[in-house]
Amino acid sequence: MSPTLVSADLGVRRLLFAAGQAPSVYNTQPWRFHVVPGRRIELLADPDRRLRVADPRGRSMMVSCGAALFNLRLAVRYVGRRPIVWLLPDPAEHPLLMAAVRTADARPVRGENRELYELIPVRRTSREPFSDRPVPPSVLGDLRIAASREGASLVPLDAEGVAEMLDHVALAEDELSRDHDYQAELAAWTMPGARFDGVPAYAHGPRPARDPAPVRDFGRHERDARFEEHPQLVVLTTQGDRPIDWLRAGQALQRVLLTATRHGLSASFLNQPLDLRDMRRRRDPHHRRGHAQMIIRLGYGPQVPGSPRRPASELERQDA
């Protein structure tokens, strides 16, 4: 049987709902979907939700779209089909088209894929303090395998590497704090009352009691708190630094985050050095561990509420 996609069988809204639960920079949710009945679902970048100052190359937007694509793949498998994915199928004529997804016959989903799909609504970004319980090497090993399955690498940092990374984050944060355009864009997505979505006030987390802080500071806190003494940081890398690598990074990121959720881990991000790199339109020099795409803090933290999501009616583009 040729690959196809039958809307009535798959329940397209269910698929798009799952895709729309993906993590994204500042909860921008920069994606839309075009359903071609009986043929495919297209994932498109939403340029109105791109961060023009912080993300001039579109890297963060495409990483976010890659995470949505991974959720879409899981949802297709959950309904008993196999996703067939074309990344950037027509970059010259359709630069906003991130991926096209068709489906083929498959055995009913079971095991890991089913469990990861069911964790999609459970996964959260948490800027709360984590416990001092270390992440076991076996769990970090599972996360590294998860990244490798999507063509990326996950590099855990040792104590010296964490200290050096936190210094880099603090320096980048200090420089970004003096960029008025960057701060205005940040405020548009994080300040209370600015939008119905973005990062809500309740997700900002407390103010760290010491520096350098292992969490992103959005400038508004209702309380202070002591964060973990020895944070666990990992860096998600890809061998290349092109748009197709950014999409792969996003898929790897979401597989890693769902696998972390499976192990009871929480996660947040410290991407200020990457924002600064993108704003300067610099590319990483090639090195053995690849190009950094995400800086992730992992640990055992409390449950937190989810961030608001775009209405389903906004996600599906009706025009051809």
Side-chain angles (χ1 to χ4, degrees):
M1 182 179 295
S2 62
T4 186
L5 187 148
V6 182
S7 300
D9 292 341
L10 290 181
V12 168
R13 285 299 176 93
R14 181 179 186 176
L15 302 184
L16 301 192
F17 177 82
Q21 299 299 302
S24 57
V25 58
Y26 303 161
N27 199 36
T28 48
Q29 304 168 70
W31 46 66
R32 295 191 75 187
F33 302 89
H34 181 222
V35 179
V36 183
R39 296 179 62 189
R40 63 186 179 275
I41 293 180
E42 296 177 343
L43 167 62
L44 302 107
D46 187 340
D48 292 338
R49 288 173 167 261
R50 175 177 166 183
L51 300 170
R52 301 291 176 180
V53 177
D55 190 28
R57 295 196 297 163
R59 185 190 65 84
S60 291
M61 178 182 69
M62 295 184 74
V63 170
S64 300
C65 286
L69 176 60
F70 183 77
N71 277 6
L72 180 61
R73 288 168 47 201
L74 279 182
V76 169
R77 283 296 294 120
Y78 188 79
V79 298
R81 305 285 287 175
R82 177 169 59 89
I84 301 173
V85 180
W86 286 266
L87 297 179
L88 301 174
D90 192 4
E93 294 295 325
H94 300 285
L96 296 180
L97 179 56
M98 301 289 97
V101 181
R102 295 175 182 256
T103 72
D105 292 337
R107 294 180 179 179
V109 68
R110 63 183 65 182
E112 182 187 22
N113 282 332
R114 185 182 187 92
E115 189 172 359
L116 293 182
Y117 171 83
E118 292 173 346
L119 288 170
I120 286 174
V122 179
R123 183 214 60 82
R124 300 280 189 267
T125 298
S126 175
R127 298 174 186 86
E128 293 291 327
F130 298 163
S131 77
D132 289 321
R133 173 186 172 191
V135 180
S138 60
V139 173
L140 289 174
D142 281 352
L143 300 181
R144 296 181 72 178
I145 291 171
S148 69
R149 290 180 64 182
E150 300 299 329
S153 298
L154 196 71
V155 182
L157 302 183
D158 58 18
E160 182 179 353
V162 167
E164 183 178 352
M165 180 62 75
L166 290 178
D167 284 341
H168 283 313
V169 169
L171 289 171
E173 180 71 35
D174 183 63
E175 184 166 345
L176 291 170
S177 70
R178 297 191 295 271
D179 188 308
H180 298 299
D181 291 337
Y182 180 91
Q183 291 301 316
E185 186 174 68
L186 177 66
W189 289 95
T190 63
M191 289 296 100
R195 311 180 58 90
F196 80 89
D197 50 4
V199 181
Y202 58 76
H204 287 195
R207 179 185 296 104
R210 64 178 177 85
D211 289 325
V215 290
R216 183 68 182 264
D217 186 356
F218 290 138
R220 293 180 65 92
H221 308 280
E222 296 182 355
R223 67 193 193 281
D224 295 345
R226 186 188 75 84
F227 281 71
E228 60 269 27
E229 191 71 24
H230 302 288
Q232 174 66 70
L233 301 184
V234 296
V235 181
L236 183 72
T237 69
T238 53
Q239 281 302 303
D241 194 32
R242 302 164 299 161
I244 198 166
D245 299 300
W246 305 338
L247 285 173
R248 288 174 178 147
Q251 293 174 87
L253 171 67
Q254 182 64 341
R255 184 181 281 277
V256 166
L257 293 177
L258 291 174
T259 303
T261 303
R262 186 184 185 192
H263 285 287
L265 288 170
S266 299
S268 62
F269 308 102
L270 290 165
N271 290 324
Q272 296 94 313
L274 306 184
D275 286 352
L276 199 57
R277 179 193 68 189
D278 288 343
M279 290 168 64
R280 292 171 172 170
R281 297 182 181 272
R282 292 178 179 171
R283 299 181 63 179
D284 277 345
H286 183 74
H287 48 84
R288 181 174 58 87
R289 290 187 168 183
H291 299 270
Q293 304 296 352
M294 297 293 291
I295 302 167
I296 310 168
R297 164 183 166 248
L298 297 168
Y300 297 94
Q303 291 186 343
V304 296
S307 296
R309 295 291 161 175
R310 300 176 69 180
S313 59
E314 284 190 10
L315 295 183
E316 187 174 349
R317 197 187 76 177
Q318 299 298 330
D319 55 303

